[in-house]
Amino acid sequence: MAATPKRSIYFIGDIDRTLPWLYIALVAAGWLMIYSVNYDPDAPMLGMLDLSNNAGKQMLFIIINLALIFLIMMTDWAFWRTYAFVIYLFSLIVLPGTLIFGREVNGAMAWYQFGGFSFQPSELAKFGTCLALAGYLSSTGVDLREWRSRIFAFLIFMVPVGIILGQSDTGSALVFLSFFLVLYREGLSWTWYAFGAIVGLSIIFGLAWNPIYVAAVFIWIHNAFLIYGRFRETSRIWWTAWGLTMVVTVGWPVFSEWFCQSVLKVEPEQVQFLDYYMLIPHVMLLLAAFIPNYWRKNNMIQRALLIRLFLLLMAAGLTFAANFANTKLLAAHQQQRIKVWLKPSEATAADARGSAYNMLHSKMAIGSGGFFGKGHLQGNMTKLKYVPEQTTDFIFCTVGEEHGFFGVLVVVGLFAYMLYYIVQMAERQRSNFSRIYAYCVAGIIFVHFTVNIGMTMGLLPIIGIPLPFLSYGGSSLIGFSLMIGVLLKLDSNRNLA
């Protein structure tokens, strides 16, 4: 029997057919939305290819990226695994250069300027980090149950986060947290995510409400667990004391004002740290419930009590730290963005033409489209440019206004199916490197998609994250095209890995 000829490493016959069509559909939809935003009925039809407007530039970017994907398919699939860390290190080298040679856009020093075009190196860093993390986690001897492996994996994506935060580009830095999704798939314990949830909620609560009252509620909940678990014989007394502490908390604003004015003969504002006195009954009950249980000298009980106490102190401390950072460290426009997100009614009433403007008009544009929209090129709010950054961060508004709920459903459906399909591609890989890389790509697209749509609908803070494949911009499209192209190349050789 004749030997089967060895297949060339550059063979592309096994390329997946579904993912390229999803890519093309989203890119085409994005170009149509960008063209609609810049549509001029008096301009000639060939104006859509004019490089002086965004639609023409985006068409050029699309052609370049299609050529880029074709070139990737001509490479050896092993190249991306072999040089993963080289590409990652290169992306780290070009990142901090923007602080010296870059230009500022919306308060962030995160862009290089080349004539009439700009480039954001953080998009390349996302791609490089995908390769590096996949390369490391697929290496022999790496086990996320070990501290050494965990720390190194964290550093791979936290180093670019630190550099990007130095550029004041919070949105791009947030995207790198998507790699925690990959680590979960690769075996990182769920306790890390529970810990992260406590940290995130504590920060949000500290930004949204008075941290003293948030800390009081945290202690109150902690005390309930102590009482329920350890004082069942005398529970009535303990539960009564526990309930009274919340009565004090709820009635404190009225009681403290009466006490200051009627007894001390001063205004409440003249008494320093007045609200902190409200914590005293909570802390007293905490000590009364904690100390007797700890003195039982049962190692398991003591360890559990200390862990709970640590989490309580950490959560309470984070609420105060978040409030301090918001009021003392963040710039005024950043404070206002947080207020628009967490307290939209107050922010809108106080500053309807300022930071709340984007959110208000974004929601109005999406809502005005109804079920089927106003029709392509017929978006009034789009044409009159009521929503700033219409072609980039808020491109989803154009979808909602011109194509309504139906158009929104189609775009969301395309993204949902793309994410589902990439996960399916990941699970069919024989190579650990290819599987992990696919999950990295899915995680980044998921965070971009979720945050951008949540931002345009007022569900998340406005932090400047583009919608993948749809938003205008060469940097974003290059970054995502590199990810998709390499994924297609690795998948086309999945039986050789």
Side-chain angles (χ1 to χ4, degrees):
M1 181 182 293
T4 302
K6 185 178 180 180
R7 188 167 57 178
S8 169
I9 58 176
Y10 305 106
F11 182 74
I12 61 173
D14 283 346
I15 184 173
D16 183 82
R17 302 295 192 271
T18 303
L19 186 59
W21 282 114
L22 290 170
Y23 170 86
I24 291 171
L26 287 170
V27 168
W31 185 84
L32 288 173
M33 295 304 100
I34 294 167
Y35 176 71
S36 179
V37 172
N38 295 275
Y39 175 68
D40 182 1
D42 298 325
M45 283 298 296
L46 290 178
M48 67 178 67
L49 303 178
D50 186 356
L51 295 182
S52 64
N53 62 55
N54 288 345
K57 289 182 180 179
Q58 190 71 3
M59 179 60 73
L60 176 63
F61 296 149
I62 292 172
I63 294 171
I64 291 173
N65 280 279
L66 289 174
L68 177 63
I69 292 176
F70 179 79
L71 289 176
I72 291 173
M73 299 307 298
M74 294 295 102
T75 63
D76 179 359
W77 64 271
F79 169 86
W80 303 102
R81 182 173 62 186
T82 304
Y83 293 98
F85 280 95
V86 175
I87 296 170
Y88 171 71
L89 290 174
F90 174 76
S91 69
L92 291 186
I93 291 171
V94 299
L95 258 183
T98 59
L99 298 174
I100 303 173
F101 306 107
R103 72 182 183 95
E104 183 177 334
V105 176
N106 295 329
M109 288 290 292
W111 298 79
Y112 289 109
Q113 184 72 39
F114 303 102
F117 296 90
S118 301
F119 178 71
Q120 189 175 15
S122 61
E123 299 297 335
L124 178 62
K126 296 170 190 174
F127 169 64
T129 305
C130 287
L131 291 173
L133 190 62
Y136 175 69
L137 293 179
S138 61
S139 301
T140 303
V142 174
D143 187 348
L144 289 177
R145 291 173 295 182
E146 299 176 355
W147 272 103
R148 179 179 175 275
S149 297
R150 286 198 293 257
I151 291 173
F152 200 89
F154 292 161
L155 285 175
I156 287 176
F157 61 87
M158 292 308 293
V159 168
V161 166
I163 299 173
I164 293 170
L165 286 176
Q167 300 172 339
S168 300
D169 188 3
T170 309
S172 295
L174 176 67
V175 173
F176 283 79
L177 299 183
S178 66
F179 292 110
F180 277 108
L181 300 174
V182 182
L183 296 183
Y184 180 75
R185 169 60 181 81
E186 296 306 311
L188 189 63
S189 172
W190 66 269
T191 55
W192 285 88
Y193 301 89
F195 182 81
I198 293 173
V199 170
L201 290 174
S202 299
I203 292 173
I204 292 173
F205 291 156
L207 293 173
W209 295 289
N210 186 330
I212 300 174
Y213 286 86
V214 175
V217 173
F218 284 168
I219 299 173
W220 187 68
I221 294 173
H222 180 269
N223 288 344
F225 282 103
L226 282 176
I227 295 170
Y228 178 78
R230 302 299 171 190
F231 296 100
R232 295 181 181 178
E233 296 82 3
T234 56
S235 61
R236 183 173 298 179
I237 298 174
W238 287 98
W239 286 119
T240 301
W242 178 77
L244 288 174
T245 57
M246 183 49 65
V247 172
V248 172
T249 302
V250 173
W252 184 256
V254 176
F255 172 76
S256 60
E257 183 178 0
W258 170 83
F259 185 80
C260 290
Q261 294 177 345
S262 301
V263 179
L264 300 180
K265 305 300 182 182
V266 295
E267 291 299 319
E269 293 78 12
Q270 296 177 267
V271 181
Q272 290 186 337
F273 310 115
L274 178 61
D275 286 341
Y276 285 91
Y277 292 108
M278 178 263 297
L279 293 175
I280 292 176
H282 291 279
V283 175
M284 290 176 63
L285 183 61
L286 170 63
L287 294 174
F290 179 86
I291 294 175
N293 283 290
Y294 190 78
W295 279 349
R296 292 183 180 183
K297 297 183 179 179
N298 180 302
N299 289 335
M300 292 184 63
I301 293 176
Q302 289 179 337
R303 186 171 180 270
L305 289 172
L306 287 176
I307 291 175
R308 288 182 186 176
L309 184 61
F310 168 76
L311 292 175
L312 171 64
L313 294 175
M314 182 195 70
L318 284 171
T319 61
F320 286 98
N323 184 268
F324 175 81
N326 183 39
T327 56
K328 303 296 183 182
L329 302 180
L330 295 183
H333 73 279
Q334 293 173 318
Q335 295 180 29
Q336 191 62 21
R337 283 182 176 181
I338 292 174
K339 190 174 183 180
V340 167
W341 172 41
L342 296 174
K343 302 176 182 178
S345 58
E346 293 182 21
T348 301
D351 191 22
R353 296 291 298 178
S355 297
Y357 181 87
N358 287 5
M359 182 196 70
L360 279 173
H361 287 81
S362 172
K363 293 168 69 174
M364 288 171 60
I366 294 173
S368 67
F371 192 85
F372 289 108
K374 301 174 182 177
H376 188 54
L377 307 179
Q378 303 301 316
N380 296 330
M381 299 191 71
T382 295
K383 297 294 174 294
L384 298 176
K385 303 188 185 303
Y386 277 105
V387 182
E389 310 297 338
Q390 183 81 56
T391 59
T392 53
D393 299 341
F394 288 90
I395 192 69
F396 191 70
C397 299
T398 306
V399 178
E401 182 182 13
E402 296 194 349
H403 302 280
F405 177 76
F406 179 77
V408 166
L409 196 63
V410 170
V411 170
V412 171
L414 285 172
F415 273 110
Y417 187 62
M418 172 180 275
L419 289 169
Y420 168 79
Y421 196 78
I422 291 176
V423 170
Q424 296 302 307
M425 291 176 70
E427 291 300 329
R428 74 189 186 194
Q429 304 301 312
R430 293 177 59 187
S431 163
N432 290 335
F433 175 84
S434 300
R435 183 190 71 249
I436 297 167
Y437 174 80
Y439 272 105
C440 289
V441 174
I444 288 180
I445 294 175
F446 172 76
V447 170
H448 265 273
F449 163 73
T450 303
V451 173
N452 180 273
I453 291 183
M455 179 181 72
T456 58
M457 298 180 69
L459 302 176
L460 293 172
I462 298 173
I463 53 176
I465 289 182
L467 187 59
F469 313 111
L470 272 76
S471 291
Y472 167 78
S475 300
S476 174
L477 191 57
I478 286 174
F480 286 108
S481 297
L482 281 170
M483 294 180 203
I484 294 296
V486 172
L487 176 58
L488 287 171
K489 180 61 184 179
L490 293 175
D491 181 70
S492 69
N493 292 271
R494 60 185 177 274
N495 294 322
L496 300 179

